[in-house]
Every structure is written in structure tokens, then in C-alpha cells.
Amino acid sequence: MIHFPKNQGRFRGIFESLEERRLLSSWFVSPAGSDQNPGTIAAPFKSIQHAATIAKAGDHVEIRAGVYHEEVTPANSGTPGNPIVFEAYNGEKVTITGADPITGWTKYSGNIYRAPMSWDLNAGNNEVFFDGLAGVEARWPNTSLSTPSTPAKATMQSVKIASPGVATIYDTALNQPAGFWQGAVLQMAPGQAWYNESATVTSSSPGSVTISYVAGDQYATPTAGNKFFLWGKLKALDAAGEWYRDPTTGLLYVWMPKSDSPLLHDVEVKKRVYAFDVSNVHDITIQGMSLFSSTIRTTSISNDIVVNRIYSKYSSESRLVPIGYWSNPTEGIFMRGANCVVENSTIAYSSGDGIVFSGIGGIINNNVVHDVDYVGTNCAGIRALDPSVLIEHNTVYNCGRHGIVAGAAGDTVFYNTIHDIGLQTTEAGGVYTVGVAPVGGTICYNQIYNIHSAGYGGTAIFLDNGSSGWAAYHNSTWNVDYALKMNFTSNNDLIYNNTLSATSLAINTNKLGNWDGVQIYNNIFLKPIVTTLGALITNNLYATTTNPAYGAGTFTSGAVGVPT
């Protein structure tokens, strides 16, 4: 501002200093550009990384159509209200891929070809794609490329435990010669089959394999009837769609899905784990693009990261899991910072979790998550590990274990559609929480169906191991073994206005502990209930059909309008 003092013979300008301001910028990137360009729409950069090195708070990196083989690490953070935004320009089709092509193919034997593969993400982490479809690492028994969430498995006919962590598995279908499987990996769901884990084959004979594994308790000891398969040997490469990488020679062997030459197709292999590394920055938005064979790296300082309108396919691959109860924290879309958001996105095909939040105050909204945890470890479609995470209007299906895990006080799970989960494990939950007490969260207006398993069965809403202080209301369940289950001492839970249909029990429990302070009212039970002493159970309708005066009522749930 300029002041003109009065009573002066001439004007004298006195200038006040202005606060510092910076013109916000848009930086453009195109496969046809050059990193020597100024980054304008007419003369764009070539790499997203070059723009990420320059962009500052409030800037937009506009990415033109194309496939980008890179890992993007922003040099700067945004600020609250002024994030750095990475986005597809004007809705163009943008893919950031972690996979690179393989060339130099020669015929090896029969339908099998081989080529040098110079990089290695280590056993169980490599992934090969045939025209964008993940192949099958050579294995027995063979399985289909199109059903990663329900792979074919063999059955242990009998098991001999030699000592803790050493067992011999017997199956007459194992007709390979002696030593065939030595050094291979045996993937199994031991004991109660709550999760899958890996073991090492130390010797093999026709009809049996001997394994070394991490011994668990009585619930996780291999036993007759458990499912398993074997992988990790070139000699197992005997079917279309399979591959094997020799760690000694670095050669990749493939049998193409159509039994033709790889020269006629795009054969790519995962090389980079991350599409974006935002582990040292905050206030970053990533939106409107596809992530292929890669995910997003975060840490506890990665606060206010927003992922919006993303199509993520094959986000992670980690098959070697010695302890199935543990899940690799790099898997899926994993947000470790506070106040992060994943919304309006599709997350498809992850060996572990689909979406995981370990920071407080996050929002997981309007996403479709499917075909995740196809290794069958203790993972979920969506998992909240810290308090006050809002999980709303998502559709979750085809999960190896749980659908949605609410793991801390104040987590809210509402208006979600969850179905076909627990595909590789037993006793899974559509919505699952374990040991969160004395203050829980809220589970409401969810539709949960198609959950069945052996063992202790599959449950729509599972408040496990002393979960207390939860409110579950206006949920609708059907075609599940159990609609609701609460194990051990569960106190002060409120269960009301639910429509609980199941094939076995509307409510189930292991009858250990007490349910003091639990209130169960205004529900429709379409099957019998089993409860524990201490609960106040009033004004419920035991029926064979629904009644609008009771239960969940009519509502819609799930995601709409996400990228596919």
C-alpha cells in the first residue's frame, strides 16, 4: 500500500513491505518430453521424477497419457491446504509400473523358453506378467491363472511330527521321484488353518515330503486334512502360464499361457516395489492414475497423504511367509501417517492386505478392494491398526482371510458391502476386531454375506478375544456360518437393530468369560442364538422372515463410481 502524507509540498511515497508470495505452478510430464525442457504443456518433462524434484507446496504435476517405468520420490512436502498434487492430466490414461520387459528369448525345451533376467527381488517376491496378467510360479498341483484367490491345493492325508518344527507330510498323489522336491517351498495352512505359511522341504520321496517350519502352538501344527502346495523348482514348470527364475544362473523360464513364443507377447517382470516413495514428505496428493505391480511407500511422518481415483493392480507380491500370523507391512496401499485418505479407488490383486492404515484419523472411503491376501496370511481387504479411522462405503470381496479389520478404539465401519472372504483360511470375519477394549468403535449399516469355512466357521461380525465397548447396529447378514460372534469376556457391547441371518447361528460364542454390560435388543434372529451369561437380551424377534419393525431396515451400501 502507498501512503500520501498530508501537508506536503510534494508527494512522497512510503511503501509497506509485503508478505512473501510465490506463484503456484503446474509442471507437465509426457513420454514424448525431455527433462531439459521447461516443463510446460508445450514442452513437458519426460520423467515424473524430474517434476517431483522441482515441485513445491501447492504445485500440480500434470502427467500426460503413457506408461512410466519409474519410482517417484518427491523432494519437497506440501503444506496444509496446499499439497503437492500428482495427477493424470485432463483424465488421460496414465500408468506407473514397477515391471520392466524381458527380452532375449530362446527356446529351452518343448513349450518352455528362457531369457536372462538381470534383477531379482528374492524368492517369493518376483512376479512375471504375460500381457498384463500375472503368471503362476511353477508349482504342484497346477492351478489356473484366472483364480489367484482360490488356487488349487493338495490335501495332507497324514502327518508325522518328528519334533517341533519338523514334520513329514504324506500324500499318495506326490508321485515324483526321491529328492525331486528337496529345497522347494511348501505352502500350507496348518492346524486350524487360520493362516497360510511357508516351510522348507528338506527331503522328499514318492508319497511324502519332510519339511522344516517355524513351530506354532497346538492350533498351528500341521495335521491330516490341511491344504498345501509346493513351489520353487524348475522341474515343477510343466503347464501353460507358469514361470521359474533360476537364482543361480539368473535365467527366467516361461511356458506362455497359449503355449506359443514369448516373442509374440509382452512379458514383464516386477522390478520396483514402489511407484511413489513419500516416506520423507507429507501433504501429497496422488490421483487419477493407475499403479501396476507397485505401491506407495510411507512412514509415520507421511501425514496428510491423499490417494484418490487410483486403479491399483498387483500392488505387492510376497509369498515366502515363515510365520503366517505376521503380515509384511510393505504390502497393499499402506498409510502409516496421520490424517491420510484413500478414496474412490480400486485395489485389486495383492498377496497381502488391500488397504492398511496405521496412522490415526484416516479415511478409507468409496473404494473397491478385491482379490487380496491371495497368499492367505493374517491380512484383510481393509485393515485399520490405529484409532479413529473411518471406513465407509467400500466394497470388499475375494479375500484370503478377513474382510475389514477394525483394530483400535474409535474405528468406525459403516455402509460397507463385504462378501466372499475367508477363501483360504478358517474362522475369518467379514468385520473383525480382536482384543480392543474397554472402548471399541462402531460397526453399522454394513451388508455382509457369503462366508463359510471349515473349523470354527466363518462369521459376518466377529468381536474376538475380549473385544468390548463396541456398538454394532443396523447391519444385515446372510449366507454366513455365523452372523455375529463374541469370544471370551466381552463387556458393554451394544448389539441392536441388526438383521442377523446365517446358515448355523445368528449369535455364537465360545462361552468363556462373561458378557457383563452387553445389551442385545431390537434385532431379528433368523437362526438360534448362543450367548454367555451377563448380557441383557430384550425385545428381539426370533423369526423366519424379516419384519420392518425390527432389525436393520432397508439401506444401500458399498462403493460407486470407482475406476476399473
Side-chain angles (χ1 to χ4, degrees):
M1 180 180 295
I2 302 176
H3 296 279
F4 298 103
K6 297 180 180 179
N7 304 319
Q8 298 275 344
R10 57 189 176 88
F11 293 115
R12 185 171 56 186
I14 302 175
F15 294 87
E16 292 183 352
S17 62
L18 298 176
E19 61 181 281
E20 181 180 358
R21 297 189 183 275
R22 189 179 69 82
L23 182 64
L24 304 182
S25 302
S26 290
W27 305 101
F28 290 84
V29 180
S30 168
S34 168
D35 287 344
Q36 282 68 52
N37 285 342
T40 63
I41 190 168
F45 300 136
K46 184 176 181 63
S47 69
I48 305 170
Q49 179 58 53
H50 190 73
T53 303
I54 298 170
K56 293 181 172 57
D59 287 357
H60 282 228
V61 176
E62 303 288 343
I63 309 169
R64 304 301 304 268
V67 178
Y68 296 83
H69 295 257
E70 55 180 301
E71 178 180 308
V72 181
T73 305
N76 303 298
S77 295
T79 59
N82 290 290
I84 299 174
V85 179
F86 295 85
E87 62 186 355
Y89 171 71
N90 200 29
E92 294 182 1
K93 188 174 181 179
V94 171
T95 299
I96 301 178
T97 178
D100 282 357
I102 297 293
T103 59
W105 294 102
T106 58
K107 198 162 190 177
Y108 170 65
S109 175
N111 292 311
I112 300 174
Y113 290 75
R114 66 183 178 183
M117 177 181 153
S118 60
W119 63 90
D120 181 15
L121 298 183
N122 298 319
N125 299 326
N126 293 308
E127 195 167 22
V128 177
F129 303 97
F130 304 126
D131 297 320
L133 177 67
V136 174
E137 187 163 4
R139 50 163 285 165
W140 180 91
N142 294 328
T143 192
S144 169
L145 275 73
S146 60
T147 56
S149 292
T150 54
K153 296 182 180 180
T155 302
M156 299 179 187
Q157 294 173 344
S158 62
V159 179
K160 181 180 179 181
I161 305 296
S163 61
V166 178
T168 298
I169 312 299
Y170 296 92
D171 181 357
T172 54
L174 286 164
N175 56 12
Q176 299 84 6
F180 185 96
W181 291 112
Q182 186 170 347
V185 177
L186 183 141
Q187 209 86 2
M188 62 178 174
Q192 283 295 325
W194 289 332
Y195 43 79
N196 286 268
E197 61 186 28
S198 307
T200 300
V201 178
T202 56
S203 65
S204 69
S205 299
S208 71
V209 293
T210 298
I211 60 172
S212 173
Y213 64 98
V214 178
D217 59 20
Q218 71 271 26
Y219 298 105
T221 298
T223 189
N226 287 160
K227 300 296 184 180
F228 75 99
F229 66 93
L230 292 148
W231 59 274
K233 301 291 283 188
L234 174 59
K235 291 180 286 187
L237 206 170
D238 61 356
E242 289 191 335
W243 62 270
Y244 173 79
R245 183 188 186 276
D246 189 321
T248 302
T249 65
L251 291 172
L252 175 66
Y253 296 80
V254 302
W255 185 331
M256 298 300 294
K258 295 182 179 180
S259 298
D260 55 0
S261 170
L263 297 172
L264 303 175
H265 301 274
D266 292 326
V267 181
E268 295 185 306
V269 177
K270 185 182 185 75
K271 188 174 183 179
R272 291 166 298 279
V273 175
Y274 303 109
F276 284 90
D277 182 350
V278 294
S279 57
N280 293 313
V281 292
H282 54 83
D283 290 277
I284 302 290
T285 295
I286 302 165
Q287 62 186 22
M289 66 186 78
S290 295
L291 307 182
F292 183 84
S293 186
S294 55
T295 185
I296 299 170
R297 184 184 184 192
T298 62
T299 64
S300 60
I301 68 171
S302 306
N303 300 324
D304 297 281
I305 305 298
V306 175
V307 174
N308 181 31
R309 292 184 288 110
I310 291 294
Y311 179 63
S312 170
K313 190 173 184 181
Y314 302 115
S315 61
S316 47
E317 179 72 358
S318 182
R319 293 182 178 272
L320 196 62
V321 189
I323 304 175
Y325 186 77
W326 172 248
S327 57
N328 189 336
T330 65
E331 293 192 337
I333 305 297
F334 197 146
M335 294 294 165
R336 294 173 173 86
N339 305 315
C340 293
V341 178
V342 176
E343 60 185 353
N344 308 317
S345 298
T346 293
I347 315 298
Y349 304 105
S350 167
S351 63
D353 294 293
I355 302 172
V356 192
F357 273 45
S358 66
I360 65 171
I363 297 174
I364 305 171
N365 172 54
N366 199 54
N367 303 285
V368 172
V369 180
H370 69 88
D371 292 280
V372 299
D373 191 23
Y374 54 69
V375 171
T377 56
N378 194 33
C379 294
I382 297 174
R383 194 152 54 120
L385 304 178
D386 268 15
S388 304
V389 176
L390 177 62
I391 304 171
E392 60 173 332
H393 288 285
N394 301 283
T395 299
V396 179
Y397 65 95
N398 287 0
C399 301
R401 188 148 179 73
H402 301 304
I404 294 176
V405 171
D411 290 342
T412 300
V413 182
F414 75 114
Y415 288 104
N416 300 282
T417 297
I418 306 155
H419 63 92
D420 294 276
I421 63 97
L423 298 183
Q424 295 196 51
T425 59
T426 68
E427 207 178 7
V431 178
Y432 180 82
T433 181
V434 56
V436 180
V439 178
T442 303
I443 302 168
C444 61
Y445 292 101
N446 300 287
Q447 299 189 71
I448 309 170
Y449 58 95
N450 294 357
I451 310 174
H452 299 286
S453 76
Y456 293 111
T459 301
I461 302 171
F462 195 170
L463 308 182
D464 199 9
N465 287 17
S467 294
S468 298
W470 288 84
Y473 56 89
H474 286 284
N475 299 285
S476 181
T477 76
W478 65 95
N479 195 30
V480 297
D481 294 322
Y482 310 112
L484 171 72
K485 181 158 61 174
M486 298 190 296
N487 279 344
F488 300 97
T489 292
S490 297
N491 300 142
N492 304 315
D493 293 316
L494 302 178
I495 312 297
Y496 62 94
N497 288 109
N498 299 286
T499 300
L500 301 179
S501 177
T503 57
S504 183
L505 295 172
I507 296 180
N508 193 19
T509 177
N510 61 6
K511 289 190 172 183
L512 298 174
N514 67 77
W515 283 5
D516 294 347
V518 171
Q519 298 181 50
I520 302 173
Y521 59 93
N522 286 5
N523 301 284
I524 297 177
F525 300 139
L526 286 98
K527 286 289 182 178
I529 67 172
V530 175
T531 61
T532 298
L533 292 175
L536 178 64
I537 305 173
T538 60
N539 201 39
N540 297 286
L541 180 65
Y542 298 80
T544 56
T545 59
T546 59
N547 184 318
Y550 293 79
T554 302
F555 61 93
T556 59
S557 62
V560 294
V562 300
T564 58

